[in-house]
Amino acid sequence: MWDSESETGGGGGGGRDYGNGAISSTKHALQTDGFELRDRSWYVATDIPSDFLVQIEGVQFHLHKYPLLSRSGKMNRLIYESREAAEVNKVVLDDLPGGPDAFELAAKFCYGIAVDLTASNISGLRCAAEYMEMTEDLEEGNLIFKTEAFLSYVVLSSWRDSIVVLKNCEKLSPWAENLQIVRRCSESIAWKACANPKGIRWAYTGKVPPKVSSPKWTDSSSSPSRNQQPVPPDWWFEDVSILRTDHFVRVITAIKVKGMRFELIGAAIMHYATKWLPGMIKDGGGIHESKDQRMIVESLISIIPPQKDSVSCSFLLKLLRMANMLRVAPALVTELEKRVGMQFEQATLADLLIPSTTTTTTMYDVDLVQRLLEHFLVQEQTAESSSPSRQSRGGGNNHPSAKMRVARLVDSYLTEVARDRNLSLTKFQVLAEALPESARTCDDGLYRAIDSYLKAHPTLSEHERKRLCRVMDCQKLSIDACMHAAQNERLPLRIVVQVLFSEQVKISNAIAHNNHSSLKETGDSAAAAGFYQPMVPNRKTLLEGTPQSFQEGWSAAKKDINTLKFELETVKAKYMELQGELESLQRQFEKATAAAGGGGGGGGGGKKHGSSAWAVGWRKLSMFGKGGGLDGSDHGGDHHHRGAGEGQGSSRKTPARRWRNSIS
């Protein structure tokens, strides 16, 4: 029975009385007590034997021709158009909308039996009446007129009945569409969802506590009860979520036209998706299930409001994951990616870990995240260029913070996906360098991602390691990150040196700043020396924190230097020994020359000859000195000076002068 009196304030609409939803036709009615069902066959309870059989989907109706001919134009054609060929006693109407149930009601109406119209049967009966052509041309007040009046004045004035009728229209395509039942019910639902509840009285079924009657909106003249709860803004979500996707889209489209807030529309879409897309396609899901799920995802993407925060970024990313799994149309996927880019800073790491569905061997879809980041940067740049005066007014502060949040998100994502051994260095580098330098004030997250990649890819060459570390700015690392990097043997030695150098510069600048501040406050130069004292232990700590490979290289270099020093000292000792022997020979030669000069008259010639032999010997010793590894120019000058002052007895002071500038 029609049970919408409490919602509409009466049994009918517009002054019409429908007898509590019961309709009948008494004109030319055949006296009968009703219909009887026997083994999927209906019989008319009358003494007149039936002369006409109607079969619908395996159900047989044993009827009489006259009641049907008087009210159905289709029956007239089926019977009289075939009269010349043979007497027609049976027809098959498997394509009748509403099936056997709707035909049963239509047949009862033809026999004058009272039919109870309800929200559950009205849509099927209205379509069946149209199919059977039960128009006013055959009889005034025929079934089309009465079902249409019930729809217009009863169903469309009731929230609950409009939902039920629209739900029942799912089995009546395309008849329900052609008869405008879907459109009218959708607009009725949209009007009630957007209307002010004040002064309207109807029930809704959404989120009703158990054992509590469905709450109603009361008109302004009635006094509200003490315990009455205010109607929540999402009161209509649960009711419309029972609709099929195409009908839900029709309702949401009508609600948009009527100007409902976009955040409420987005919330309704998310509620619908939660109900109909709980786990997507699981193992064992069939092809039909895949098609249904794909249709739902495509429909929801098409009706999401264009405003930025109409739905959450997490919902968009989950929808995007489903779209990739279900091979949704590429145009819709691209549109969804742009929507994610609008609010990419709201995403979380768990949302971005989307499994790869392509032929690549990577675990996660890194290319997808790269595209999302590009959409974010393009839209940020567009927003900044479209309002260049925003920053001057102080309104551009959100952009740096949004980019910084995205930078932290990308660094966390890189740290996670870097563990995948199939992730190429190029993809890692491109994603890491996609953001501008201003987006990162600290590169600790990027360093963590680089270290994670080095752990998972131990076979990288030295060139690849340097290329990987090039995406990081050592000057943006914190002290903790620098200490870790200084002891990280996976990093190239050059990067470690850069880290130590940048940290030393930071410490020096900090000390200089503190010293300047202290001098400015106290004016005491002794205080400045006190501030410089922490510099030594800090540098010592940094040097002690260098990796083992760097320490071993430094020790080897020191050992080589000490070996060279030892060899140099050995050469020096040999040279000094030869120098002493040379001086001894020189003294002996001088004595022999003096004795020869004093003993005979041939001293002049002998002196000349001795002087020539001495010069030759001196040149040989000088050449030997140059070949001993010493500085030949310095020692050659000393030898020349030594030879010039030979007759003045200064030979004993020459060695001390010769080794004054030696290497120690």
Side-chain angles (χ1 to χ4, degrees):
M1 291 291 292
W2 165 44
D3 57 355
S4 301
E5 294 182 58
S6 62
E7 297 181 4
T8 57
R16 293 171 174 78
D17 185 10
Y18 291 94
N20 290 334
I23 61 172
S24 63
S25 177
T26 57
K27 186 178 180 180
H28 306 297
L30 182 66
Q31 297 297 324
T32 177
D33 294 333
F35 281 24
E36 297 177 356
L37 179 62
R38 305 171 191 169
D39 298 331
R40 292 180 61 83
S41 296
W42 286 95
Y43 296 89
V44 182
T46 180
D47 295 336
I48 303 175
S50 62
D51 58 355
F52 192 65
L53 177 64
V54 179
Q55 180 174 326
I56 303 174
E57 298 178 4
V59 180
Q60 295 182 348
F61 293 86
H62 299 270
L63 307 174
H64 302 82
K65 291 182 180 178
Y66 178 73
L68 299 178
L69 293 174
S70 62
R71 294 173 178 83
S72 172
K74 186 175 183 65
M75 291 299 180
N76 271 278
R77 290 200 316 277
L78 290 176
I79 294 175
Y80 288 108
E81 288 179 0
S82 302
R83 171 182 282 183
E84 298 178 357
E87 189 71 17
V88 177
N89 296 322
K90 177 182 178 180
V91 294
V92 178
L93 304 177
D94 287 339
D95 58 343
L96 184 142
D101 295 337
F103 182 80
E104 176 195 348
L105 297 177
K108 287 181 178 180
F109 177 82
C110 292
Y111 278 89
I113 301 174
V115 177
D116 295 333
L117 298 182
T118 65
S120 299
N121 62 29
I122 186 61
S123 56
L125 188 57
R126 172 67 183 90
C127 294
E130 190 73 20
Y131 176 88
M132 296 178 65
E133 303 174 14
M134 302 176 71
T135 63
E136 297 296 293
D137 296 337
L138 297 176
E139 179 181 316
E140 184 179 356
N142 209 345
L143 188 58
I144 290 179
F145 172 79
K146 293 195 173 183
T147 53
E148 187 66 30
F150 186 84
L151 277 171
S152 300
Y153 296 103
V154 179
V155 171
L156 297 182
S157 62
S158 167
W159 165 264
R160 183 173 54 197
D161 289 351
S162 298
I163 294 287
V164 173
V165 170
L166 190 56
K167 179 66 178 176
N168 291 331
C169 287
E170 297 174 1
K171 305 175 183 177
L172 300 172
S173 298
W175 289 90
E177 287 282 354
N178 297 335
L179 295 175
Q180 304 296 318
I181 299 177
V182 173
R183 179 189 62 80
R184 287 182 289 171
C185 287
S186 299
E187 292 182 351
S188 172
I189 294 170
W191 180 85
K192 293 176 177 61
C194 297
N196 190 331
K198 186 177 181 180
I200 301 177
R201 191 180 180 189
W202 62 62
Y204 67 94
T205 59
K207 297 183 179 180
V208 180
K211 299 182 181 180
V212 178
S213 60
S214 181
K216 298 179 180 181
W217 284 339
T218 57
D219 52 7
S220 57
S221 60
S222 62
S223 59
S225 61
R226 294 181 181 179
N227 298 327
Q228 185 178 7
Q229 298 294 329
V231 177
D234 60 348
W235 65 268
W236 52 278
F237 288 5
E238 186 64 28
D239 287 343
V240 300
S241 67
I242 69 173
L243 300 175
R244 196 174 65 186
T245 306
D246 56 339
H247 293 163
F248 175 77
V249 171
R250 294 286 293 271
V251 171
I252 294 298
T253 302
I255 287 176
K256 283 183 180 180
V257 173
K258 298 187 181 303
M260 177 171 283
R261 300 197 310 265
F262 65 86
E263 60 270 17
L264 269 180
I265 296 176
I269 294 173
M270 289 190 289
H271 181 86
Y272 188 88
T274 303
K275 185 170 184 177
W276 290 95
L277 300 172
M280 286 308 302
I281 302 176
K282 299 179 181 179
D283 294 338
I287 298 177
H288 182 69
E289 181 184 0
S290 302
K291 291 182 178 179
D292 292 342
Q293 298 282 1
R294 182 167 60 250
M295 186 267 294
I296 294 175
V297 172
E298 291 178 345
S299 301
L300 295 183
I301 294 174
S302 63
I303 61 174
I304 295 177
Q307 289 81 0
K308 178 178 180 180
D309 294 322
S310 57
V311 294
S312 66
C313 185
S314 177
F315 171 76
L316 291 174
L317 285 168
K318 290 178 181 177
L319 203 61
L320 183 58
R321 179 188 303 217
M322 299 174 187
N324 289 332
M325 292 174 61
L326 295 169
R327 302 293 191 271
V328 169
L332 291 176
V333 173
T334 302
E335 180 64 26
L336 190 57
E337 290 177 359
K338 292 180 180 179
R339 292 300 308 271
V340 175
M342 290 175 60
Q343 44 199 110
F344 192 52
E345 70 276 7
Q346 302 172 6
T348 63
L349 177 60
D351 297 331
L352 291 183
L353 295 177
I354 300 176
S356 178
T357 57
T358 60
T359 57
T360 58
T361 56
T362 55
M363 183 182 304
Y364 299 108
D365 198 342
V366 181
D367 294 332
L368 172 60
V369 177
Q370 175 69 30
R371 293 196 300 272
L372 298 178
L373 183 57
E374 290 174 355
H375 288 308
F376 167 77
L377 293 174
V378 168
Q379 295 181 23
E380 284 288 306
Q381 184 177 3
T382 303
E384 292 175 0
S385 60
S386 62
S387 56
S389 60
R390 188 183 339 191
Q391 292 185 358
S392 61
R393 297 195 306 267
N397 294 331
N398 290 332
H399 291 279
S401 61
K403 289 182 180 178
M404 291 177 186
R405 288 196 296 270
V406 170
R408 290 193 293 268
L409 177 64
V410 171
D411 292 346
S412 300
Y413 180 79
L414 286 171
T415 303
E416 187 67 27
V417 301
R419 300 186 179 98
D420 185 2
R421 297 192 176 184
N422 294 322
L423 179 64
S424 66
L425 176 59
T426 301
K427 286 188 177 183
F428 184 95
Q429 185 177 4
V430 169
L431 185 57
E433 294 178 342
L435 286 166
E437 294 183 1
S438 58
R440 292 185 179 93
T441 57
C442 179
D443 277 10
D444 284 10
L446 197 55
Y447 167 70
R448 191 178 299 108
I450 291 173
D451 187 48
S452 179
Y453 191 89
L454 290 174
K455 287 181 182 178
H457 302 79
T459 59
L460 289 179
S461 64
E462 187 70 13
H463 172 72
E464 291 174 330
R465 292 173 185 269
K466 291 180 181 178
R467 175 184 164 193
L468 175 64
C469 296
R470 204 173 293 133
V471 303
M472 174 183 62
D473 188 356
C474 297
Q475 297 181 0
K476 291 184 178 181
L477 296 179
S478 65
I479 295 179
D480 293 337
C482 286
M483 295 298 296
H484 186 277
Q487 304 176 55
N488 193 345
E489 298 183 2
R490 289 180 290 272
L491 295 177
L493 185 59
R494 182 177 181 181
I495 300 300
V496 175
V497 174
Q498 290 180 2
V499 169
L500 293 174
F501 177 75
S502 62
E503 187 60 23
Q504 182 178 359
V505 171
K506 288 180 186 178
I507 294 175
S508 300
N509 292 337
I511 292 174
H513 177 73
N514 293 337
N515 180 39
H516 178 72
S517 301
S518 177
L519 290 175
K520 195 171 183 180
E521 293 176 0
T522 63
D524 188 1
S525 60
F531 277 99
Y532 276 99
Q533 291 179 0
M535 181 176 181
V536 175
N538 285 338
R539 292 182 61 185
K540 181 179 179 182
T541 304
L542 287 174
L543 292 175
E544 290 177 351
T546 55
Q548 187 67 25
S549 59
F550 186 82
Q551 293 180 5
E552 292 175 355
W554 179 249
S555 300
K558 291 176 65 178
K559 185 177 180 181
D560 293 341
I561 293 173
N562 293 332
T563 302
L564 291 174
K565 286 184 177 181
F566 177 76
E567 293 177 353
L568 185 59
E569 292 295 336
T570 303
V571 173
K572 287 182 182 180
K574 291 182 178 180
Y575 186 82
M576 291 296 294
E577 182 179 354
L578 293 173
Q579 184 74 16
E581 294 178 356
L582 177 62
E583 291 178 354
S584 176
L585 292 173
Q586 181 180 357
R587 287 193 297 270
Q588 293 177 6
F589 179 77
E590 289 177 353
K591 291 180 180 181
T593 303
K607 189 175 182 179
K608 184 177 181 180
H609 175 76
S611 177
S612 177
W614 163 249
V616 174
W618 178 257
R619 282 195 298 270
K620 291 182 179 180
L621 288 174
S622 297
M623 292 176 64
F624 174 79
K626 292 181 180 180
L630 300 175
D631 190 351
S633 59
D634 292 341
H635 297 300
D638 289 342
H639 296 162
H640 176 71
H641 183 75
R642 169 72 175 82
E646 191 68 33
Q648 299 178 5
S650 60
S651 60
R652 298 186 181 274
K653 298 180 181 180
T654 302
R657 181 182 178 186
R658 182 178 297 114
W659 298 108
R660 187 177 301 163
N661 297 322
S662 62
I663 299 176
S664 59

